[in-house]
Amino acid sequence: MAERSTVEVKFEPLGLRAMVPGGSLITRAMLEAGVLLPLDCGGNGTCGRCLVLVEGATSPPSQAEERLLDREQLDQGWRLACQTKALGDLRVAVPETAERADGGWRIDDGDVKDLEGGTPVVTALALEIPAPTLQDPRSDLARVLALAGGEEHAGADLATASQVSALARKHNWHLAAFRRGAELVGVAAPGVPPLGLAVDLGSTKIAAYLVNLEDGKVLASRGRLNPQVTFGADVVTRLQKAIRDPAEGRRMTRLVRRAVGDLAGELAAQAGVEPSQICDMTLVGNSAMHHLLLGLPLEQLGAPPFVACLGQAIDIKARELGLKLAPGAYVHLPPLVGGFVGSDNVAMIMGADLDRPGPVRLGLDIGTNTEVVLTVPGGEHAMVIASAPSGPTFEGAHLSSGMRAMAGAISKVEILDDQPVCFTIDGGAPAGICGSGIIDTVARLLEAGIINSRGHLDRSHPRVRADQRNISYILVPAEQSAIGQDIAITQKDISQVQLAKAAISAAAGTLLELAGLGVDDIAEVVLAGSFGGHIDVAGAKRIGLIPNVAAASYAQVGNAAGKGARKVLVASEMRARAKAIPAMSRYVELASETKFNTLFARSLSLPESSF
């Protein structure tokens, strides 16, 4: 069938649609429509996560589809979105794991009461400005600057100056002026406080906090899926795609900038304020997210020795990133550490106070790339830091029934009388399993003897099924699930967990060896991030994901990176503290450490008995 010049693709049940050139992949239409469906393989047709039901004229099945789908599925209209081209108008049913780009969810604000004081980055000045007269015909901006620090000591760029005339007359020459250092970055009605935005730009999720800069209180917070997940679940896949096709890299940059800007607008609306009151912003992220946001060169970051284009703290006008905040607002990006360890790790360290004096502590911010921080009291470096290539398994990716932590996701599992009992996040019917659920499941199956220390399922168990493709343990039969299909843990899923936990365990072990320490020297294990804050610590210890130290304490600190970003947002001293962290740390590139490879191979097995 000949393709049409323009076609309409409708996505159900989200109610979204897009007009795209005929012959476009369905994944392109998804991006245009604002449908976010994580593609673990980056659109190479190997993961099968973009399975959709299609009605309408399409390209013939690709070789990748014929490998992954059987003839019955293809005849019913099941296709891979990353392989299927729209030749005519289409109606596409997407899975429950798909999300709207404008969808968001509440995030944990954390403890804001202990944000240290200090010198505010932005100060608000209440001005009563003398109106111009024939005898005093100074410019409007000159009048404001004279009261905002003296004309010789203060300045403003053109965008900020353009605000002054109308606002001054509207409010009878009474204004709130927002000054950042010697620069006027915004003006507002009298009594309006300066606001700031702290953003934790994760590979999978973006968390944003709207903060009153006068007292550090969070006025609103919100999270959403990073739209770059449609280019690959992990940063390496995205980098490779962007390096191979710079146009794709530019698209990733545009998408993530738009997502951050949308979050700023949503938070302002939630708090009942204007985005123009946001006169400063801090953003943290790993090195890949940092470079993709700023549109920096990627080639040198995507290959050994994984060198950043720039790693020092920088300040850039928000409008240069397409963000509609106060006209003169800046975005502050704290320094990177090294390799893929970025400013989010600096913020996590600050949020968990790992840079403060204390005993030996192991900090884990578990995610697609797990940042591992070991504090070394009295050592040459106060901290030793590495990034473990743990992959997106604990985000629910690379799992046959995986999904992120949302309604319908199995987050906890028990086995009673040899039968699994599953608990979902919202208490509803199960639709899949998230990261905390997969850890719980593997731990319970290990305890019950249904899998052995090598991770192999017991084929003789009545809930274990085997076919030509895989071996599976049925957690929830199709008739009890929300999706009408079995929710299962496959042998491949267990292997993914083993690979992820081995990377984290080996990274921690490598840092301990390099510091001349042993596991028993650890006094505290700090688990950061949304995943670290919700996993069952006992289950994580049971499978060897985190070290089991009898004398150690275990702290789940939530989104420490978000808290650290808020600290950096509100006070100049916190920016100096962030700047000092890379200098007091030793960054370890695990790819060059033979110890890591040895420990990784040793860590693949599961502990044979409970601790």
Side-chain angles (χ1 to χ4, degrees):
M1 177 181 291
E3 64 188 54
R4 288 165 39 190
S5 59
T6 304
V7 299
E8 182 183 54
V9 183
K10 299 179 181 179
F11 295 97
E12 304 294 346
L14 299 179
L16 299 174
R17 64 186 65 198
M19 301 296 296
V20 294
S24 298
L25 288 170
I26 291 177
T27 46
R28 174 175 175 177
M30 285 180 169
L31 284 174
E32 297 290 339
V35 178
L36 299 184
L37 186 63
L39 304 183
D40 295 1
C41 65
N44 293 322
T46 57
C47 70
R49 302 275 289 176
C50 62
L51 187 65
V52 293
L53 187 61
V54 182
E55 293 180 17
T58 62
S59 57
S62 68
Q63 291 181 350
E65 290 177 294
E66 289 179 340
R67 281 195 301 269
L68 284 175
L69 307 177
D70 57 36
R71 177 46 55 187
E72 183 180 358
Q73 287 176 301
L74 291 170
D75 290 344
Q76 291 173 347
W78 292 102
R79 301 294 299 272
L80 299 181
C82 72
Q83 299 291 303
T84 306
K85 296 178 180 180
L87 305 183
D89 293 344
L90 299 184
R91 189 184 188 94
V92 180
V94 296
E96 291 194 9
T97 49
E99 299 186 51
R100 297 173 62 103
D102 59 358
W105 62 88
R106 292 183 58 83
I107 56 176
D108 179 17
D109 292 347
D111 186 0
V112 298
K113 294 182 292 185
D114 61 351
L115 290 180
E116 292 94 333
T119 306
V121 175
V122 175
T123 55
L125 304 171
L127 305 182
E128 295 184 20
I129 308 163
T133 65
L134 290 174
Q135 291 73 35
D136 180 13
R138 289 177 298 162
S139 70
D140 293 338
L141 181 61
R143 294 173 185 283
V144 172
L145 294 180
L147 298 178
E151 289 184 65
E152 69 278 14
H153 300 299
D157 65 15
L158 187 63
T160 303
S162 66
Q163 268 195 313
V164 172
S165 294
L167 274 174
R169 287 166 176 80
K170 179 179 180 180
H171 298 289
N172 196 27
W173 297 95
H174 287 70
L175 290 177
F178 306 137
R179 193 176 69 185
R180 188 183 195 264
E183 182 178 350
L184 190 71
V185 293
V187 292
V192 169
L195 304 181
L197 187 68
V199 178
D200 176 14
L201 177 56
S203 303
T204 304
K205 302 171 186 174
I206 308 173
Y209 307 84
L210 183 66
V211 178
N212 185 323
L213 294 179
E214 292 184 326
D215 57 18
K217 295 294 177 64
V218 174
L219 303 180
S221 60
R222 192 170 177 83
R224 66 159 57 190
L225 204 61
N226 185 333
Q228 292 176 349
V229 296
T230 56
F231 294 86
D234 60 273
V235 295
V236 173
T237 300
R238 295 179 210 172
L239 285 177
Q240 290 173 343
K241 187 179 285 285
I243 291 169
R244 188 168 58 247
D245 184 354
E248 292 286 77
R250 291 190 292 272
R251 184 180 293 180
M252 291 184 219
T253 295
R254 288 195 301 271
L255 282 172
V256 78
R257 288 180 179 181
R258 184 192 307 164
V260 172
D262 289 346
L263 273 171
E266 292 163 10
L267 290 173
Q270 185 179 332
V273 300
E274 293 297 324
S276 60
Q277 286 178 241
I278 304 173
C279 49
D280 209 53
M281 174 176 159
T282 295
L283 184 141
V284 301
N286 66 44
S287 303
M289 293 300 97
H290 172 277
H291 279 46
L292 283 167
L293 173 83
L294 297 177
L296 294 173
L298 300 170
E299 288 81 358
Q300 77 295 329
L301 184 63
F306 310 108
V307 176
C309 171
L310 66 86
Q312 69 269 33
I314 62 169
D315 292 271
I316 184 173
K317 288 287 187 179
R319 61 175 181 265
E320 292 186 39
L321 301 179
L323 303 177
K324 297 179 181 179
L325 310 181
Y330 283 89
V331 179
H332 176 78
L333 295 98
L336 311 180
V337 175
F340 287 103
V341 179
S343 54
D344 56 343
N345 182 251
V346 170
M348 184 276 282
I349 288 169
M350 292 180 63
D353 286 329
L354 293 175
D355 57 329
R356 297 305 199 200
V360 176
R361 288 163 289 170
L362 179 68
L364 300 172
D365 193 348
I366 301 173
T368 304
N369 286 296
T370 295
E371 281 78 38
V372 184
V373 179
L374 180 71
T375 67
V376 188
E380 181 182 356
H381 297 89
M383 289 173 286
V384 189
I385 301 173
S387 175
S390 48
T393 297
F394 296 137
E395 300 283 358
H398 291 175
L399 300 175
S400 58
S401 298
M403 61 188 295
R404 76 165 182 85
M406 57 189 290
I410 297 171
S411 58
K412 181 180 179 181
V413 174
E414 294 179 359
I415 295 182
L416 303 175
D417 297 326
D418 208 30
Q419 299 296 315
V421 180
C422 300
F423 302 86
T424 61
I425 287 176
D426 61 335
I433 187 164
C434 64
S436 59
I438 191 66
I439 288 176
D440 227 28
T441 301
V442 173
R444 301 291 86 79
L445 293 178
L446 185 61
E447 289 173 349
I450 300 171
I451 60 176
N452 61 22
S453 63
R454 297 173 64 187
H456 294 169
L457 282 162
D458 178 4
R459 294 184 180 224
S460 67
H461 193 277
R463 297 187 77 94
V464 173
R465 313 231 180 113
D467 56 32
Q468 293 181 340
R469 293 185 177 181
N470 217 331
I471 307 168
S472 308
Y473 175 85
I474 307 301
L475 270 177
V476 182
E479 62 273 14
Q480 296 175 18
S481 77
I483 57 174
Q485 300 175 16
D486 290 341
I487 298 174
I489 301 301
T490 70
Q491 192 67 69
K492 290 180 181 178
D493 294 340
I494 296 168
S495 295
Q496 290 294 328
V497 172
Q498 289 175 273
L499 289 169
K501 77 96 178 176
I504 295 168
S505 178
T510 300
L511 298 190
L512 284 166
E513 284 198 26
L514 291 174
L517 298 170
V519 172
D520 290 337
D521 292 314
I522 299 172
E524 183 180 17
V525 177
V526 177
L527 301 172
S530 58
F531 175 75
H534 292 93
I535 62 171
D536 176 63
V537 171
K541 288 193 289 185
R542 179 67 184 87
I543 69 170
L545 172 63
I546 60 177
N548 181 58
V549 186
S553 61
Y554 291 79
Q556 294 175 277
V557 297
N559 188 8
K563 181 177 178 181
R566 299 200 302 275
K567 288 184 176 184
V568 172
L569 176 68
V570 299
S572 297
E573 290 86 350
M574 295 297 105
R575 299 193 178 190
R577 179 178 164 189
K579 185 177 180 181
I581 287 175
M584 64 194 291
S585 306
R586 175 188 175 187
Y587 167 70
V588 176
E589 179 51 63
L590 295 175
S592 64
E593 292 291 335
T594 55
K595 296 181 184 68
F596 174 75
N597 294 325
T598 302
L599 290 172
F600 177 80
R602 191 185 304 164
S603 301
L604 286 169
S605 62
L606 299 167
E608 292 187 0
S609 59
S610 298
F611 296 106

